[in-house]
Amino acid sequence: MEPKSFISRLLECAFLFLLSAILFQMGIDILTEIWPALAIIAAIVFGLIIAWRVYRHWRDTGQW
């Protein structure tokens, strides 16, 4: 297998850099579209965890 020329390596590097930049931008776009839903889900889960810990503390000790 013969070694690649400098131009072909440069073009391959530029293509991979462009592809990674496009995929990175698409990922950011998807996150900016769905972040309100993710924040709501996180708030609900956080509230449930707090409520569960309060319930367990209240049930185990019988007092608050």
Side-chain angles (χ1 to χ4, degrees), residues 8 13-14 25 29-30 35 38-39 43 46 55 62-63:
S8 72
C13 181
Q25 182 65 41
D29 290 343
I30 289 170
W35 79 265
L38 291 176
F46 187 66
Y55 167 74
Q63 63 181 355

Side-chain angles (χ1 to χ4, degrees), residues 7 13-15 32 51 54 57:
I7 296 294
C13 181
F15 175 73
T32 56
V54 167
H57 178 72

Side-chain angles (χ1 to χ4, degrees), residues 7-63:
I7 296 294
S8 72
R9 285 188 294 168
L10 185 65
L11 287 174
E12 182 181 358
C13 181
F15 175 73
L16 288 176
F17 182 75
L18 176 69
L19 182 64
S20 65
I22 289 170
L23 290 174
F24 188 72
Q25 182 65 41
M26 287 173 60
I28 289 174
D29 290 343
I30 289 170
L31 282 178
T32 56
E33 288 178 11
I34 64 171
W35 79 265
L38 291 176
I40 291 170
I41 291 170
I44 290 170
V45 168
F46 187 66
L48 288 173
I49 290 171
I50 297 266
W52 175 252
R53 304 229 356 134
V54 167
Y55 167 74
R56 293 289 293 179
H57 178 72
W58 180 68
R59 195 186 83 150
D60 290 343
T61 61
Q63 63 181 355

